C-alpha cells in the first residue's frame, strides 16, 4: 500500500486528530523523494544504525529500543517547541551517527577524500547533507538530542556527584519482554 506524502508529516501545530499516533511514527521514516540526498540518507541510516546496534548495543535489544523511544520523544518535543519541523528522519540519522561516533572514539573513517576521527563524523555528514540541500535545523536537532542522550547515559553516571544515576535507564519490563540480561 502506498502512503501519500500528506499522511506522513508531523504537523504538531494542528493539534491531535484521528491519525496523530501514526504520524508520530511515520515522520521518522520519510526520507524524501528519490534523489541524491535520499540515497545518501538511506545509506547513512542503514550503515551507522546497524553498526551502532551491533557494536554499542550488542545483545541489548531492550536498551536499543529504549534509546530509540527516548530519543524520538525528545526529537518530537523539540520539533514542537521550535516549530516548522514536519519530517524528523534526518534528526534521527544524526542522532545515530553521533552516538556511534562517541561510542567508538578512537576509530578513524574515510569520508569522501578525508580521514576523520569518528566523534567528528556526524558533523562532517551534516555538512555533506547541507551541501546537498539538507535542513540545518534538522541536523542540529539530531546532534542536540544525541549529545543529551550520550551525556546522561555514558558521561553523567560516571561522575561522582551522580551516584550512578541514569536518566534513560531501560525499564525492567522492556528487558523482560525482549529477554535481555540485566
Amino acid at each position: 500500500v502506498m502512503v501519500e506524502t500528506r499522511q506522513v508529516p508531523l504537523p504538531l501545530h494542528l493539534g491531535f486528530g484521528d491519525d496523530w499516533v501514526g504520524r508520530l511514527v511515520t515522520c521518522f521514516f520519510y526520507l524524501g523523494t528519490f534523489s541524491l540526498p535520499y540515497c545518501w540518507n538511506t545509506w547513512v541510516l542503514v550503515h551507522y544504525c546497524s553498526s551502532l546496534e551491533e557494536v554499542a548495543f550488542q545483545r541489548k535489544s531492550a536498551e536499543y529500543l529504549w534509546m530509540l523511544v527516548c530519543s524520538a520523544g525528545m526529537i518530537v518535543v523539540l520539533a514542537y517547541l521550535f516549530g516548522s519541523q514536519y519530517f524528523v528522519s534526518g534528526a534521527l540519522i544524526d542522532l545515530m551517527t553521533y552516538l556511534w561516533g562517541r561510542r567508538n572514539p578512537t576509530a578513524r573513517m574515510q569520508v569522501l577524500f578525508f580521514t576523520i576521527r569518528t566523534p567528528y563524523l556526524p558533523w562532517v555528514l551534516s555538512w555533506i547533507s547541507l551541501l546537498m540541500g539538507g535542513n540545518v535545523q534538522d541536523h542540529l536537532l539530531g546532534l542536540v538530542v544525541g549529545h543529551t542522550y550520550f551525556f546522561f547515559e555514558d558521561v553523567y553516571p560516571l561522575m561522582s556527584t551522580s551516584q550512578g544515576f541514569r536518566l534513560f535507564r531501560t525499564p525492567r519490563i522492556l528487558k523482560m519482554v525482549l529477554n535481555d540480561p540485566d
Side-chain angles (χ1 to χ4, degrees):
V1 171
M2 294 296 288
V3 177
E4 294 182 31
T5 307
R6 65 181 172 79
Q7 294 174 318
V8 176
L10 181 65
L12 292 169
H13 66 282
L14 297 178
F16 300 103
D18 294 337
D19 57 353
W20 72 272
V21 174
R23 289 181 185 208
L24 281 176
V25 175
T26 58
C27 67
F28 288 98
F29 295 107
Y30 183 74
L31 296 173
T33 57
F34 188 75
S35 60
L36 182 59
Y38 171 84
C39 294
W40 175 259
N41 286 333
T42 302
W43 179 82
V44 169
L45 181 69
V46 170
H47 181 74
Y48 293 106
C49 290
S50 62
S51 292
L52 180 66
E53 185 178 11
E54 291 169 3
V55 175
F57 292 97
Q58 186 177 23
R59 301 180 43 83
K60 298 177 185 177
S61 301
E63 287 190 25
Y64 188 68
L65 178 61
W66 189 244
M67 182 270 302
L68 288 174
V69 168
C70 291
S71 300
M74 285 189 284
I75 288 171
V76 167
V77 167
L78 289 175
Y80 175 74
L81 292 175
F82 294 110
S84 73
Q85 195 81 5
Y86 298 128
F87 302 108
V88 291
S89 57
L92 191 64
I93 291 170
D94 288 321
L95 159 85
M96 297 290 192
T97 56
Y98 186 90
L99 287 177
W100 185 83
R102 292 303 240 164
R103 291 190 172 176
N104 298 294
T106 59
R108 294 192 177 274
M109 297 286 306
Q110 183 76 28
V111 179
L112 299 177
F113 307 107
F114 306 101
T115 301
I116 60 167
R117 287 188 8 202
T118 55
Y120 300 112
L121 178 67
W123 299 100
V124 171
L125 294 178
S126 295
W127 277 106
I128 292 171
S129 179
L130 288 173
L131 291 174
M132 291 190 297
N135 181 0
V136 70
Q137 185 179 359
D138 201 23
H139 295 290
L140 290 176
L141 186 63
L143 294 172
V144 165
V145 171
H147 181 72
T148 303
Y149 184 86
F150 174 76
F151 177 79
F152 283 110
E153 192 63 18
D154 294 6
V155 176
Y156 184 69
L158 300 177
M159 297 170 76
S160 60
T161 57
S162 74
Q163 299 174 349
F165 175 75
R166 285 180 51 215
L167 182 62
F168 300 112
R169 183 179 304 276
T170 306
R172 287 183 190 254
I173 186 77
L174 189 57
K175 287 184 174 185
M176 286 181 357
V177 168
L178 294 178
N179 217 10
D180 273 6
D182 253 346

